[in-house]
Amino acid sequence: MQRLQDRVAVITGAGSGIGLATARRFAEEGARVVCVDLDEASGPAAAAEVGGLYVKADVTVEEDVVRAFRTAFDTYGSVDVAFNNAGISPPEDDSILETGIDAWRRVQEVNLTSVYLCCKHAIPYMRRQGKGSIINTASFVAVMGSATSQISYTASKGGVLAMSRELGVQFAREGIRVNALCPGPVDTPLLRELFAKDPERAQRRLVHIPLGRFAEASEIAAAVAFLASDDASFVTGSEFLVDGGISGA
Ligand code: NAD
């Protein structure tokens, strides 16, 4: 029996990076995976690869989020895991003095409001079942800030962390665990895009990671699979750091 055998798992941002690696890992562990992504090329490709279902959705749009969870339930009969992971990188100059209000709002919409919407529409299914695991992707910057000036991004991830703690406490007695995943820097298209804008930034970041390298997306996926599974039955409301030691350095 595999750890996630027949669990129905909805993953947002499943077309790339951490979401894609987690879709693969969940499928390996026996889950039925619903791949949610805005991107109509990578989303269906991910679903095809893991033998799952693709739902095109913009996670900032409530009707899309409702449709994603309803499709998962209607197709497979439950919603056991929600990995609310879709996110965007900060705008080019994301210092408090430079970030414009539109850029700030966009980052909050995609990184934070989306998590509010996904939790809001996943929890009713889990409540009826009396169980469920929600994993929301925050970031190590939510616990330690960032010296590289990414105020809208850091604030959005701090919000994800606080929301996850509150929901973890609030729904614990109903069998729903909610955790914030806090990855350190991970080698994905999002990170590469960020470093392409500022190549020296990669080197500056690297020296602060005690393990001396960026994470592979599969290493983050392993932690998500743990949080999704019954192996994490006593873990809720946590800030789950998978960061190569960066927050402790
Ligand atoms: P990525 O860019 O590789 O993948 C993000 C995916 O989300 C893409 O497939 C994209 O199409 C999708 N997406 C973006 N906006 C969407 C929307 N509105 N609706 C639906 N789908 C949308 O990024 P990644 O590095 O895998 O990041 C995943 C999450 O991890 C993000 O929340 C990110 O902030 C967080 N994170 C990443 C790192 C890192 O170093 N890569 C570190 C800490 C946290």
Side-chain angles (χ1 to χ4, degrees), residues 70-135:
R70 195 194 305 123
T71 304
F73 182 80
D74 288 349
T75 308
Y76 296 124
S78 65
V79 176
D80 303 300
V81 178
F83 180 35
N84 303 322
N85 164 75
I88 53 173
S89 64
E92 198 149 344
D93 192 341
D94 197 20
S95 73
I96 186 87
L97 301 178
E98 296 299 330
T99 297
I101 191 70
D102 291 341
W104 162 275
R105 286 196 174 122
R106 182 68 191 150
V107 173
Q108 306 317 312
E109 279 282 294
V110 181
N111 290 2
L112 177 58
T113 305
S114 68
V115 175
Y116 148 76
L117 288 174
C118 288
C119 290
K120 183 178 174 125
H121 294 293
I123 285 172
Y125 293 105
M126 295 178 173
R127 228 179 178 177
R128 265 182 261 149
Q129 297 160 190
K131 66 180 173 65
S133 174
I134 296 177
I135 303 109

Side-chain angles (χ1 to χ4, degrees), residues 11-16 19-20 23-24 33-57 67 76:
I11 300 177
T12 72
S16 174
L20 176 59
R24 289 174 177 147
V33 183
V34 179
C35 296
V36 178
D37 207 293
L38 194 55
D39 190 298
E40 289 181 275
S42 64
E49 185 188 331
V50 302
L53 194 67
Y54 170 60
V55 179
K56 179 180 188 245
R67 186 168 41 78
Y76 296 124

Side-chain angles (χ1 to χ4, degrees), residues 13 16-18 37-38 57-59 85 137-138 153 157 184 186 188 190:
S16 174
I18 295 168
D37 207 293
L38 194 55
D58 179 340
V59 289
N85 164 75
T137 304
Y153 185 81
K157 295 303 187 179
V186 189
T188 68
L190 181 143

